[in-house]
Amino acid sequence: MITVEGLAKQFGGFRAVDGATLTIEQGAITGLIGPNGAGKTTLFNVIAGVLEPTAGRVTMLGEDITGLPPHTLFHKGLLRTFQIAHEFSSMTVRENLMMVPGAQSGETLWNTWFHRGRIAQEESELLKKADEVLDFLTIDHLKDERAGNLSGGQKKLLELGRTMMVDAKIVFLDEVGAGVNRTLLNTIGDAIVRLNKERDYTFVVIEHDMDFIGRICDPVICMAEGKVLAEGTLDEIKANEQVIEAYLGTGLKNKDKVGA
Ligand code: ADP
Ligand code: MG
Protein backbone atom coordinates (compact mmCIF):
# COMPACT_ATOMS: atom_id res chain seq x y z
CA MET A 1 0.00 0.00 0.00
CA ILE A 2 2.84 2.33 0.95
CA THR A 3 6.37 2.08 -0.35
CA VAL A 4 9.22 4.10 1.11
CA GLU A 5 12.43 4.19 -0.93
CA GLY A 6 15.71 5.63 0.29
CA LEU A 7 13.94 8.14 2.51
CA ALA A 8 16.12 10.64 4.35
CA LYS A 9 15.41 13.55 6.67
CA GLN A 10 18.24 15.77 7.76
CA PHE A 11 18.16 18.26 10.65
CA GLY A 12 21.22 20.48 10.28
CA GLY A 13 24.09 18.05 9.83
CA PHE A 14 22.24 15.15 11.43
CA ARG A 15 20.30 12.49 9.52
CA ALA A 16 17.36 11.41 11.70
CA VAL A 17 16.12 9.20 8.85
CA ASP A 18 19.00 7.94 6.75
CA GLY A 19 17.94 6.02 3.67
CA ALA A 20 14.97 4.06 5.02
CA THR A 21 13.40 1.59 2.60
CA LEU A 22 10.28 -0.37 3.52
CA THR A 23 6.87 -1.55 2.35
CA ILE A 24 3.57 -1.38 4.21
CA GLU A 25 1.17 -4.13 3.11
CA GLN A 26 -2.47 -3.24 2.66
CA GLY A 27 -4.64 -4.84 5.33
CA ALA A 28 -1.79 -5.40 7.78
CA ILE A 29 -1.15 -4.01 11.23
CA THR A 30 2.55 -3.27 10.96
CA GLY A 31 4.55 -2.62 14.13
CA LEU A 32 7.45 -0.16 14.02
CA ILE A 33 9.95 -0.58 16.82
CA GLY A 34 13.48 0.55 17.59
CA PRO A 35 15.49 2.25 20.32
CA ASN A 36 14.78 5.87 21.25
CA GLY A 37 16.16 8.23 18.61
CA ALA A 38 15.95 5.57 15.86
CA GLY A 39 13.99 7.97 13.65
CA LYS A 40 10.55 6.33 13.93
CA THR A 41 8.57 9.50 14.63
CA THR A 42 10.50 11.43 11.99
CA LEU A 43 9.74 8.68 9.46
CA PHE A 44 6.02 8.95 10.32
CA ASN A 45 6.11 12.72 9.98
CA VAL A 46 7.78 12.58 6.58
CA ILE A 47 5.34 9.95 5.26
CA ALA A 48 2.35 11.93 6.62
CA GLY A 49 3.56 15.18 5.04
CA VAL A 50 4.30 16.95 8.32
CA LEU A 51 8.01 17.17 7.39
CA GLU A 52 9.58 17.52 3.94
CA PRO A 53 12.00 14.72 3.08
CA THR A 54 15.62 15.55 2.29
CA ALA A 55 15.74 12.65 -0.16
CA GLY A 56 13.77 9.60 -1.20
CA ARG A 57 10.31 8.69 -2.37
CA VAL A 58 6.99 7.63 -0.86
CA THR A 59 4.14 6.06 -2.84
CA MET A 60 0.60 5.16 -1.82
CA LEU A 61 -1.24 2.59 -3.97
CA GLY A 62 1.26 3.27 -6.74
CA GLU A 63 0.92 7.05 -6.67
CA ASP A 64 3.87 9.26 -5.78
CA ILE A 65 2.86 11.14 -2.60
CA THR A 66 6.34 12.40 -1.62
CA GLY A 67 6.14 15.77 0.10
CA LEU A 68 2.37 16.20 -0.25
CA PRO A 69 0.89 18.28 2.59
CA PRO A 70 -1.07 16.58 5.40
CA HIS A 71 -4.50 17.84 4.29
CA THR A 72 -4.01 16.38 0.79
CA LEU A 73 -2.95 13.04 2.26
CA PHE A 74 -5.86 13.25 4.69
CA HIS A 75 -8.26 13.38 1.72
CA LYS A 76 -6.53 10.32 0.26
CA GLY A 77 -7.25 8.47 3.50
CA LEU A 78 -3.73 8.64 4.97
CA LEU A 79 -3.94 9.85 8.57
CA ARG A 80 -1.46 10.36 11.34
CA THR A 81 -3.18 10.82 14.69
CA PHE A 82 -2.35 13.87 16.79
CA GLN A 83 -2.89 14.72 20.40
CA ILE A 84 -6.16 16.57 20.96
CA ALA A 85 -5.21 20.21 20.43
CA HIS A 86 -5.38 22.49 23.45
CA GLU A 87 -8.22 24.56 21.99
CA PHE A 88 -10.40 21.44 21.78
CA SER A 89 -9.88 20.37 25.37
CA SER A 90 -12.87 22.36 26.67
CA MET A 91 -15.15 20.80 24.07
CA THR A 92 -16.91 17.53 24.74
CA VAL A 93 -15.78 14.20 23.35
CA ARG A 94 -18.71 14.12 20.95
CA GLU A 95 -18.07 17.70 19.77
CA ASN A 96 -14.43 16.78 19.16
CA LEU A 97 -15.55 14.02 16.81
CA MET A 98 -17.99 16.30 15.02
CA MET A 99 -15.23 18.90 14.46
CA VAL A 100 -13.00 16.60 12.39
CA PRO A 101 -12.17 18.49 9.19
CA GLY A 102 -13.60 16.82 6.12
CA ALA A 103 -16.37 15.14 8.08
CA GLN A 104 -18.74 18.05 7.44
CA SER A 105 -19.18 20.76 4.80
CA GLY A 106 -20.82 23.35 7.03
CA GLU A 107 -17.64 25.26 7.77
CA THR A 108 -17.57 27.60 4.79
CA LEU A 109 -19.35 30.93 4.83
CA TRP A 110 -21.10 30.07 1.59
CA ASN A 111 -22.64 26.98 3.10
CA THR A 112 -23.63 28.81 6.26
CA TRP A 113 -25.53 31.46 4.30
CA PHE A 114 -27.11 29.46 1.51
CA HIS A 115 -27.63 25.92 2.67
CA ARG A 116 -29.01 26.10 6.17
CA GLY A 117 -31.31 23.18 5.57
CA ARG A 118 -28.51 21.00 4.29
CA ILE A 119 -26.29 21.94 7.22
CA ALA A 120 -28.97 20.97 9.71
CA GLN A 121 -29.32 17.61 7.98
CA GLU A 122 -25.56 17.13 7.89
CA GLU A 123 -25.32 18.01 11.53
CA SER A 124 -27.77 15.32 12.49
CA GLU A 125 -25.85 12.85 10.29
CA LEU A 126 -22.61 13.91 11.97
CA LEU A 127 -24.18 13.43 15.35
CA LYS A 128 -25.29 9.96 14.36
CA LYS A 129 -21.83 9.13 13.02
CA ALA A 130 -20.15 10.45 16.17
CA ASP A 131 -22.44 8.30 18.32
CA GLU A 132 -21.66 5.22 16.22
CA VAL A 133 -17.94 5.88 16.68
CA LEU A 134 -18.37 6.27 20.45
CA ASP A 135 -20.33 3.04 20.55
CA PHE A 136 -17.71 1.18 18.46
CA LEU A 137 -14.94 2.34 20.80
CA THR A 138 -17.04 1.54 23.89
CA ILE A 139 -16.72 5.09 25.21
CA ASP A 140 -20.33 6.25 24.76
CA HIS A 141 -20.49 6.99 28.48
CA LEU A 142 -17.86 9.71 27.90
CA LYS A 143 -19.69 11.57 25.13
CA ASP A 144 -20.48 14.67 27.20
CA GLU A 145 -17.17 14.71 29.05
CA ARG A 146 -14.77 17.54 28.23
CA ALA A 147 -11.84 16.16 26.22
CA GLY A 148 -9.41 17.84 28.62
CA ASN A 149 -10.71 15.68 31.47
CA LEU A 150 -10.00 12.34 29.77
CA SER A 151 -7.25 9.99 30.93
CA GLY A 152 -4.29 9.34 28.65
CA GLY A 153 -5.81 6.13 27.30
CA GLN A 154 -9.24 7.68 26.77
CA LYS A 155 -7.58 10.48 24.79
CA LYS A 156 -5.89 7.87 22.59
CA LEU A 157 -9.27 6.26 21.94
CA LEU A 158 -10.68 9.67 21.00
CA GLU A 159 -7.74 10.25 18.63
CA LEU A 160 -8.54 6.89 17.03
CA GLY A 161 -12.22 7.87 16.92
CA ARG A 162 -11.37 11.00 14.96
CA THR A 163 -9.97 8.84 12.15
CA MET A 164 -13.35 7.07 11.98
CA MET A 165 -15.20 10.30 11.17
CA VAL A 166 -13.57 10.34 7.73
CA ASP A 167 -12.83 7.48 5.35
CA ALA A 168 -9.40 6.53 6.60
CA LYS A 169 -7.51 3.84 4.68
CA ILE A 170 -4.21 3.87 6.53
CA VAL A 171 -3.57 5.24 9.99
CA PHE A 172 -0.21 5.93 11.64
CA LEU A 173 -0.21 5.69 15.45
CA ASP A 174 2.79 6.96 17.41
CA GLU A 175 3.31 5.45 20.89
CA VAL A 176 -0.29 4.46 21.49
CA GLY A 177 0.62 2.90 24.82
CA ALA A 178 2.57 5.78 26.37
CA GLY A 179 1.01 6.61 29.75
CA VAL A 180 -1.91 4.25 29.18
CA ASN A 181 -3.00 1.69 31.78
CA ARG A 182 -3.12 -2.00 30.89
CA THR A 183 -6.93 -2.26 30.69
CA LEU A 184 -7.28 0.70 28.35
CA LEU A 185 -4.32 -0.47 26.29
CA ASN A 186 -6.22 -3.72 25.71
CA THR A 187 -9.31 -1.73 24.70
CA ILE A 188 -7.19 0.30 22.27
CA GLY A 189 -5.63 -2.90 20.90
CA ASP A 190 -9.08 -4.44 20.40
CA ALA A 191 -10.32 -1.31 18.62
CA ILE A 192 -7.32 -1.38 16.28
CA VAL A 193 -7.85 -5.06 15.47
CA ARG A 194 -11.58 -4.54 14.86
CA LEU A 195 -11.02 -1.49 12.65
CA ASN A 196 -8.53 -3.59 10.71
CA LYS A 197 -10.82 -6.62 10.32
CA GLU A 198 -14.22 -4.96 10.03
CA ARG A 199 -13.38 -1.64 8.32
CA ASP A 200 -10.32 -2.56 6.25
CA TYR A 201 -8.04 -0.12 8.04
CA THR A 202 -4.32 -0.59 7.46
CA PHE A 203 -2.25 0.44 10.50
CA VAL A 204 1.33 1.29 11.27
CA VAL A 205 1.92 1.34 15.01
CA ILE A 206 4.94 2.64 16.92
CA GLU A 207 5.04 1.22 20.43
CA HIS A 208 7.64 0.26 23.03
CA ASP A 209 5.41 -2.31 24.77
CA MET A 210 6.48 -5.56 23.10
CA ASP A 211 3.53 -7.53 24.52
CA PHE A 212 1.21 -5.11 22.78
CA ILE A 213 3.21 -5.28 19.53
CA GLY A 214 3.33 -9.07 19.68
CA ARG A 215 -0.40 -9.32 20.27
CA ILE A 216 -1.63 -7.15 17.39
CA CYS A 217 1.21 -6.58 14.88
CA ASP A 218 2.45 -8.70 11.99
CA PRO A 219 4.87 -7.90 10.49
CA VAL A 220 7.18 -5.91 12.74
CA ILE A 221 9.83 -3.57 11.33
CA CYS A 222 12.80 -2.56 13.45
CA MET A 223 14.63 0.72 12.85
CA ALA A 224 17.92 1.97 14.27
CA GLU A 225 19.96 5.05 13.42
CA GLY A 226 17.54 6.14 10.70
CA LYS A 227 17.62 2.86 8.82
CA VAL A 228 15.51 -0.28 8.64
CA LEU A 229 17.41 -3.09 10.37
CA ALA A 230 15.02 -6.00 10.06
CA GLU A 231 11.48 -7.05 9.25
CA GLY A 232 9.57 -10.17 10.26
CA THR A 233 7.39 -11.58 13.00
CA LEU A 234 8.16 -10.29 16.48
CA ASP A 235 9.90 -13.60 17.31
CA GLU A 236 12.11 -13.30 14.23
CA ILE A 237 12.93 -9.70 15.13
CA LYS A 238 13.79 -10.67 18.71
CA ALA A 239 16.21 -13.30 17.42
CA ASN A 240 17.91 -10.93 14.96
CA GLU A 241 21.54 -10.21 15.92
CA GLN A 242 21.55 -6.66 14.55
CA VAL A 243 18.36 -5.84 16.43
CA ILE A 244 19.77 -7.16 19.70
CA GLU A 245 22.92 -5.14 19.17
CA ALA A 246 20.96 -1.98 18.38
CA TYR A 247 19.01 -2.28 21.62
CA LEU A 248 22.10 -3.20 23.64
CA GLY A 249 23.90 -0.21 22.20
CA THR A 250 21.35 2.09 23.83
CA GLY A 251 21.92 0.69 27.30
CA LEU A 252 21.06 -2.44 29.23
CA LYS A 253 17.68 -1.24 30.41
CA ASN A 254 16.41 -1.39 26.84
CA LYS A 255 17.57 -5.00 26.55
CA ASP A 256 14.46 -6.22 28.31
CA LYS A 257 12.21 -4.42 25.89
CA VAL A 258 13.05 -6.81 23.05
CA GLY A 259 13.12 -9.70 25.48
CA ALA A 260 16.58 -10.48 24.21
P1 ADP B 1 12.21 8.00 17.65
O1 ADP B 1 10.80 8.39 17.41
O2 ADP B 1 12.60 6.71 17.00
O3 ADP B 1 12.55 7.99 19.11
P2 ADP B 1 12.82 10.54 16.40
O4 ADP B 1 12.36 10.43 15.00
O5 ADP B 1 11.95 11.31 17.33
O6 ADP B 1 13.17 9.09 16.98
O7 ADP B 1 14.24 11.24 16.42
C1 ADP B 1 15.34 10.75 15.71
C2 ADP B 1 16.51 11.66 15.94
O8 ADP B 1 16.29 12.91 15.30
C3 ADP B 1 16.78 11.97 17.40
O9 ADP B 1 18.18 11.98 17.62
C4 ADP B 1 16.19 13.34 17.58
O10 ADP B 1 16.86 14.06 18.58
C5 ADP B 1 16.40 13.97 16.21
N1 ADP B 1 15.36 14.96 15.90
C6 ADP B 1 14.03 14.71 15.79
N2 ADP B 1 13.35 15.82 15.45
C7 ADP B 1 14.29 16.81 15.32
C8 ADP B 1 14.22 18.19 14.98
N3 ADP B 1 13.06 18.79 14.70
N4 ADP B 1 15.39 18.88 14.95
C9 ADP B 1 16.55 18.29 15.23
N5 ADP B 1 16.69 16.98 15.55
C10 ADP B 1 15.57 16.25 15.61
MG1 MG C 1 9.21 8.83 18.65
Side-chain angles (χ1 to χ4, degrees):
M1 181 167 203
I2 301 276
T3 66
V4 172
E5 292 159 26
L7 204 68
K9 178 66 195 177
Q10 193 153 338
F11 296 113
F14 176 73
R15 288 208 160 202
V17 176
D18 190 12
T21 295
L22 58 113
T23 304
I24 306 298
E25 294 298 333
Q26 189 161 9
I29 305 175
T30 301
L32 183 59
I33 67 166
N36 283 331
K40 305 180 295 294
T41 298
T42 305
L43 177 77
F44 265 28
N45 284 337
V46 173
I47 294 174
V50 180
L51 293 172
E52 288 254 0
T54 308
R57 190 163 175 268
V58 183
T59 69
M60 177 177 176
L61 298 169
E63 181 195 353
D64 193 335
I65 58 162
T66 318
L68 292 182
H71 66 268
T72 306
L73 296 171
F74 186 92
H75 287 293
K76 292 181 187 295
L78 187 157
L79 278 70
R80 180 209 191 296
T81 60
F82 283 100
Q83 290 182 350
I84 307 300
H86 180 68
E87 54 271 32
F88 291 124
S89 59
S90 61
M91 291 169 56
T92 69
V93 167
R94 195 201 232 165
E95 284 166 349
N96 263 277
L97 291 175
M98 292 175 70
M99 287 294 290
V100 174
Q104 78 278 65
S105 63
E107 71 261 61
T108 67
L109 197 57
W110 173 270
N111 277 321
T112 313
W113 284 101
F114 295 99
H115 300 289
R116 285 188 184 279
R118 204 180 87 204
I119 290 163
Q121 193 204 332
E122 275 186 5
E123 210 159 270
S124 76
E125 279 168 18
L126 266 179
L127 198 69
K128 203 172 138 217
K129 201 166 176 180
D131 285 346
E132 278 169 16
V133 168
L134 293 166
D135 182 53
F136 186 96
L137 296 174
T138 67
I139 51 170
D140 20 356
H141 58 290
L142 296 174
K143 66 175 182 289
D144 296 321
E145 190 64 69
R146 284 168 194 255
N149 292 341
L150 300 181
S151 72
Q154 291 168 336
K155 280 186 182 141
K156 296 280 179 192
L157 278 169
L158 178 55
E159 288 168 26
L160 200 54
R162 287 166 61 86
T163 72
M164 297 174 66
M165 294 299 291
V166 292
D167 293 322
K169 294 192 179 80
I170 178 160
V171 177
F172 292 81
L173 303 170
D174 195 352
E175 299 205 13
V176 265
V180 177
N181 73 46
R182 179 58 53 186
T183 310
L184 263 182
L185 189 56
N186 285 335
T187 306
I188 293 168
D190 291 346
I192 292 170
V193 170
R194 283 179 58 213
L195 283 170
N196 173 253
K197 288 208 175 7
E198 298 170 21
R199 312 250 168 133
D200 295 328
Y201 272 45
T202 298
F203 280 101
V204 188
V205 182
I206 296 176
E207 180 45 46
H208 288 294
D209 185 323
M210 289 303 146
D211 292 336
F212 181 80
I213 290 283
R215 192 163 69 84
I216 72 166
C217 296
D218 184 23
V220 176
I221 294 172
C222 180
M223 275 182 83
E225 296 176 356
K227 295 184 176 70
V228 172
L229 274 191
E231 180 182 338
T233 64
L234 184 60
D235 285 340
E236 285 164 359
I237 293 285
K238 278 179 176 176
N240 183 296
E241 290 287 334
Q242 281 178 294
V243 172
I244 294 166
E245 254 174 54
Y247 273 87
L248 283 174
T250 66
L252 279 172
K253 75 175 169 22
N254 279 329
K255 179 173 170 249
D256 294 328
K257 289 184 177 168
V258 275

